[in-house]
């Protein structure tokens, strides 16, 4: 149980285009989901907290207009990277807390490459 | 949002040896969690230790928590080549996880 599905796993896009990443909780409801960004050989940095039915909370330094987050249902949060640039190339991971004794559950991640 | 520091940043050992990774953090926590990440993959939850617990075991894993020193350690005993991965500690203060910098473990066969 407590599975988070993230899609796509890899995406290559051209500079200036937008990319949408989906994060779904498959067997539990998640009023809150978290979006992280990870550069090679570095740790996960929290970008934003996605709240069902309300605005996302962004961490300092993360551009709200560039990283659009929508959490329209209790099982789905999306992150849209708008007007992507090569420096946005990174590994994006979502997570949710299934409220069990086993910690947060993470998606398998999305490797974004902007060319 | 990175609260913790982990050391060492990288660790290389031979198969069969034990691996110890340490994590320090700065604020009060509800629990501390350890995760494993294989290269380019998502995170896998390993073990959760609550703030009122001092030690926890799971298979070949042993985690300790010292809230007075705001530190935790992860011990992997009898390591295997398949244990090669990055290991992260993460603190839960109640509403989100904050990750340490991670330890890259390489276990040589």
């Amino acid at each position: 149980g407590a599975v988070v599905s993230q899609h796509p796993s890899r995406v290559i896009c051209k500079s200036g285009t937008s990319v949408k990443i989906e994060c779904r909780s498959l067997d539990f409801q998640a009023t809150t989901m978290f979006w992280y960004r990870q550069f090679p050989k570095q740790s996960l940095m929290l970008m934003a907290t996605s709240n069902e039915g309300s605005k996302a909370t962004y961490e300092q330094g993360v551009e709200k207009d560039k990283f659009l987050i929508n959490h329209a249902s209790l099982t789905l949060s999306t992150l849209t990277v708008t007007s992507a640039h090569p420096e946005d190339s990174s590994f994006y991971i979502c997570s949710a807390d299934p409220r069990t004794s086993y910690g947060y559950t993470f998606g398998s991640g999305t490797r974004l490459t902007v060319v | 949002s990175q609260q913790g520091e982990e050391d060492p940043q990288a660790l290389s050992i031979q198969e069969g040896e034990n691996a110890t990774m340490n994590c320090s953090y700065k604020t009060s926590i509800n629990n501390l969690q350890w995760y494993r990440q294989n290269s380019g993959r998502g995170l896998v939850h390993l073990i959760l230790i609550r703030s009122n617990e001092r030690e926890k075991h799971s298979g070949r894993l042993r985690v300790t928590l010292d809230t007075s020193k705001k530190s935790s350690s992860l011990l992997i005993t009898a390591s295997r080549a398949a244990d090669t991965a990055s290991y992260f500690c993460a603190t839960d203060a109640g509403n989100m996880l904050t990750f340490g910098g991670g330890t890259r473990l390489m276990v040589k066969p």
Side-chain angles (χ1 to χ4, degrees):
Chain A
V3 176
V4 169
S5 173
Q6 186 172 343
H7 178 81
S9 58
R10 290 179 181 272
V11 58
I12 300 173
C13 70
K14 293 184 178 180
S15 289
T17 61
S18 295
V19 173
K20 180 185 284 187
I21 303 170
E22 293 188 349
C23 182
R24 294 180 185 272
S25 56
L26 297 186
D27 46 8
F28 66 98
Q29 293 183 333
T31 55
T32 303
M33 290 187 176
F34 305 91
W35 288 96
Y36 295 85
R37 181 173 181 173
Q38 185 181 32
F39 290 106
K41 298 186 179 180
Q42 294 189 23
S43 186
L44 282 73
M45 298 300 292
L46 181 66
M47 297 175 66
T49 303
S50 168
N51 303 298
E52 188 267 335
S54 65
K55 292 183 179 180
T57 304
Y58 289 82
E59 295 299 303
Q60 191 173 3
V62 178
E63 298 176 59
K64 300 178 182 181
D65 295 333
K66 180 164 189 61
F67 298 100
L68 299 180
I69 290 175
N70 183 277
H71 194 151
S73 78
L74 288 171
T75 59
L76 174 64
S77 175
T78 61
L79 168 68
T80 301
V81 183
T82 63
S83 187
H85 290 282
E87 56 264 32
D88 297 326
S89 298
S90 189
F91 193 58
Y92 294 86
I93 309 176
C94 67
S95 79
D97 183 0
R99 302 295 176 186
T100 66
S101 301
Y102 304 107
Y104 285 56
T105 300
F106 285 78
S108 55
T110 297
R111 182 157 306 283
L112 170 64
T113 303
V114 184
V115 298
Chain B
S1 64
Q2 194 167 312
Q3 176 186 192
E5 294 184 1
E6 291 183 58
D7 82 276
Q9 292 186 340
L11 179 61
S12 181
I13 59 175
Q14 293 294 136
E15 207 165 26
E17 294 180 339
N18 296 341
T20 299
M21 291 160 259
N22 301 297
C23 169
S24 62
Y25 57 93
K26 299 174 184 174
T27 64
S28 296
I29 61 172
N30 291 345
N31 62 70
L32 186 145
Q33 302 173 30
W34 284 90
Y35 289 85
R36 167 194 168 125
Q37 183 182 35
N38 286 77
S39 180
R41 307 291 293 273
L43 272 73
V44 174
H45 174 78
L46 294 177
I47 199 164
L48 180 154
I49 186 165
R50 302 193 185 283
S51 60
N52 61 353
E53 297 175 311
R54 292 296 167 257
E55 187 171 314
K56 209 162 183 179
H57 297 254
S58 177
R60 293 185 295 114
L61 305 180
R62 172 177 169 256
V63 167
T64 63
L65 178 65
D66 187 335
T67 52
S68 66
K69 294 181 180 178
K70 291 186 168 57
S71 66
S72 174
S73 67
L74 170 66
L75 168 67
I76 303 175
T77 60
S79 64
R80 305 166 182 168
D83 294 329
T84 295
S86 290
Y87 293 82
F88 295 93
C89 68
T91 53
D92 185 353
N95 57 355
M96 69 178 190
L97 285 183
T98 305
F99 283 83
T103 294
R104 293 191 305 280
L105 173 66
M106 175 174 287
V107 181
K108 300 175 183 177

